[in-house]
Amino acid sequence: MHVGILGAGQLARMMAEAGGPLGLSFSFLDPSADACAGELGRLYVGQWDDSSALQALAECDRVTADFENVPAAVLARLAEQVAVRPPARAFAAGQDRLEEKALLEGLGIPVAPVAAVNTRPDLLAAVERIGLPAVLKTRRLGYDGKGQAVLESHEDLEPAWQRLGGQALILEGWIDFDFECAQTAVRSASGEVRCYPLTRTVHSDGILRLAASPAGVSAELAGQASAAVTTLLEALDYVGCLTLELFAAGSELIANEYAPRPHNSAHWTIEGAVTSQFENHLRAVCDLPLGSAAARGVALMFNWLGAMPERAKLLAVPGLAWHDYHKQPRPGRKVGHATLVAADQASLSEALEALKPLLDRDTAGLLGRLG
């Protein structure tokens, strides 16, 4: 079976790595000629609406995406000729933060207070209603902390408006959370849903840096997360993997956003789960039986940003798995990750003690936020 993927970044690369043993082959469409998945299949270089490239993808058996901002209209156009999974509507709702929040709230999934902001008077009215602190965000195209500004006082309003004004925005109430977490699940075309263990996440400057599973939460919180993601998957008639990002505040989980694709927070599943998120995504997309989402033990994932660390010393730590995305170094760019996997928490802690002195100061400092 031949799978077309819109986007050829590291997520597409890891899909292809997981799909090879299943007998799948791949074609990719990406605007970048050096997209890192291109080594593992046929790469078509062009914009998302490139007619000739889209026609080539339409000749595949299935089409999916590794990037949430592929225009939903392009996916809908492809769906007229080939099975596109997840469906275009899942991307359409997720590409507009106001629509996304309305969808989640309408499903009974708690979200932060939110208001549309298109003008300065809108911003003042939203601040009056929601209060400060709050976060001003673009409605479209923001990810990894881009397109947003934290407003702590009224003095922050004008600088934020100067930077973000002139486009559709939302103001979102600040959530005083205890920690962040992410729930990844997979749904088949027949409606079967399998949830991975909840993952605790640590971000810096809006970018994921660490992901630990299990998240170390109560059964009640874990149940809230799995129920919320299942409700969302069913409402979207979703096929494939999806991750719902959440804030934990006391005994409640509050949804931040969802990603209609495999997700950075679940990279630990490659070594740490019976079936990785990438393999299960492809199984769902290609109508193959879903694999188990159960954990093999405990796992901690490190995101490498900017440039890959020197690997020789790190690889000497027992249980460490290494992933180089074959991307050119660039400040802030996700270039790889490593996952530390152990049978139990005590064994993981022992391995982590050996790893800590080898980490850069910034990464080592973030470990304290895992609780």
Side-chain angles (χ1 to χ4, degrees):
M1 185 173 287
H2 197 82
V3 179
I5 303 180
L6 288 149
Q10 67 267 19
L11 298 179
R13 181 184 181 90
M14 286 183 272
M15 280 190 231
E17 289 171 342
L22 296 176
L24 305 178
S25 58
F26 296 87
S27 290
F28 311 95
L29 168 60
D30 197 283
S32 177
D34 66 350
C36 65
E39 299 174 352
L40 301 176
R42 174 70 182 272
L43 175 62
Y44 297 92
V45 179
Q47 297 305 308
W48 302 122
D49 59 353
D50 184 283
S51 295
S52 60
L54 290 179
Q55 185 53 47
L57 290 194
E59 294 171 5
C60 295
D61 299 297
R62 299 286 190 278
V63 167
T64 189
D66 87 331
F67 183 51
E68 65 267 39
N69 286 318
V70 174
V74 168
L75 294 165
R77 173 178 162 188
L78 278 169
E80 296 174 358
Q81 303 176 71
V82 61
V84 174
R85 295 171 172 175
R89 66 177 296 228
F91 288 84
Q95 287 168 3
D96 184 318
R97 285 190 167 107
L98 190 63
E99 290 186 23
E100 182 179 36
K101 289 292 193 296
L103 169 65
L104 294 168
E105 191 171 29
L107 294 173
I109 300 171
V111 296
V114 67
V117 172
N118 296 304
T119 65
R120 278 189 176 87
D122 287 345
L123 177 57
L124 294 174
V127 168
E128 180 68 23
R129 179 166 71 84
I130 292 174
L132 295 175
V135 187
L136 187 65
K137 299 180 178 182
T138 58
R139 282 177 60 169
R140 291 183 175 272
L141 298 179
Y143 63 97
D144 285 344
K146 298 179 177 68
Q148 56 185 270
V150 176
L151 310 180
E152 296 182 348
S153 69
H154 283 81
E155 286 70 29
D156 296 327
L157 269 62
E158 186 58 28
W161 180 259
Q162 289 294 328
R163 182 160 70 88
L164 298 177
Q167 56 190 318
L169 305 170
I170 62 168
L171 187 72
E172 190 174 293
W174 180 263
I175 302 298
D176 188 17
F177 58 88
D178 301 317
F179 58 87
E180 295 174 272
C181 52
Q183 178 64 70
T184 298
V186 61
R187 183 176 184 270
S188 70
S190 66
E192 180 185 5
V193 174
R194 296 193 178 186
C195 294
Y196 288 92
L198 188 65
T199 300
R200 187 177 295 219
T201 56
V202 173
H203 294 77
S204 179
D205 297 325
I207 302 176
L208 181 74
R209 299 297 305 278
L210 303 172
S213 185
V217 302
S218 66
E220 179 185 358
L221 277 183
Q224 285 184 36
S226 59
V229 79
T230 299
T231 297
L232 179 59
L233 289 168
E234 291 175 347
L236 293 170
D237 194 19
Y238 195 91
V239 178
C241 269
L242 175 146
T243 292
L244 181 61
E245 296 184 66
L246 301 151
F247 298 115
S251 61
E252 185 178 32
L253 290 177
I254 299 167
N256 180 25
E257 60 188 21
Y258 72 84
R261 52 169 174 77
H263 194 260
N264 200 173
S265 65
H267 288 356
W268 65 266
T269 63
I270 297 173
E271 291 82 25
V274 175
T275 312
S276 78
Q277 65 164 340
F278 299 101
E279 181 176 336
N280 255 339
H281 182 77
L282 292 169
R283 285 181 178 228
V285 166
C286 297
D287 292 307
L288 298 171
L290 297 183
S292 170
R296 293 185 182 276
V298 296
L300 174 59
M301 188 211 74
F302 300 83
N303 238 7
W304 304 135
L305 303 180
M308 294 294 292
E310 202 285 314
R311 64 179 180 265
K313 291 182 180 180
L314 295 175
L315 283 173
V317 177
L320 189 81
W322 194 261
H323 294 266
D324 187 324
Y325 302 156
H326 296 211
K327 295 169 74 171
Q328 290 298 314
R330 191 171 68 205
R333 191 181 202 188
K334 295 174 183 175
V335 293
H337 75 269
T339 304
L340 192 60
V341 181
D344 52 43
Q345 194 61 52
S347 300
L348 184 75
S349 297
E350 183 179 343
L352 190 56
E353 285 305 309
L355 182 61
K356 278 181 183 178
L358 308 177
L359 298 172
D360 65 87
R361 182 179 301 178
D362 180 41
T363 302
L366 292 172
L367 288 169
R369 290 171 52 186
L370 286 172

